[in-house]
Amino acid sequence: AHSVAYQPGKLYSFKTEGGIESTWTYTVAAEAKGTRLTAQIEYEPPTGALAKLRGDAQQRHQAEVDLVLQNLKAILDRSA
């Protein structure tokens, strides 16, 4: 993966290549007494991948999503 956009404390975006290509964009904004984190994920599954993902894809990919969010938190905490 490589970074495609970065604004300290506001935005981080990266693109993955190989396998399922995707672009992940995270934005952070102050809201009331907290912070709103918005994640936008764009991807193109390779031909035939949808057949392999039948069932509960959310559960199978939760560990990867958790790791990405932990890494994002570490990046944003460093820039704060």
Side-chain angles (χ1 to χ4, degrees):
H2 64 274
S3 179
V4 293
Y6 177 67
Q7 295 176 7
K10 294 181 182 180
L11 177 132
Y12 178 63
S13 181
F14 64 93
K15 181 174 179 134
T16 65
E17 296 175 347
I20 298 177
E21 295 188 8
S22 61
T23 301
W24 296 64
T25 302
Y26 298 94
T27 55
V28 179
E31 183 174 286
K33 294 181 180 180
T35 302
R36 176 180 293 270
L37 170 66
T38 303
Q40 178 180 347
I41 304 155
E42 298 176 19
Y43 65 95
E44 282 292 328
T47 306
L50 294 177
K52 293 179 183 178
L53 293 176
R54 297 212 194 294
D56 188 1
Q58 173 69 27
Q59 184 178 11
R60 284 195 304 268
H61 299 291
Q62 188 62 49
E64 183 175 350
V65 169
D66 290 343
L67 179 61
V68 168
L69 290 175
Q70 288 172 2
N71 290 339
L72 176 64
K73 182 180 183 318
I75 290 167
L76 293 172
D77 285 348
R78 283 194 306 254
S79 65

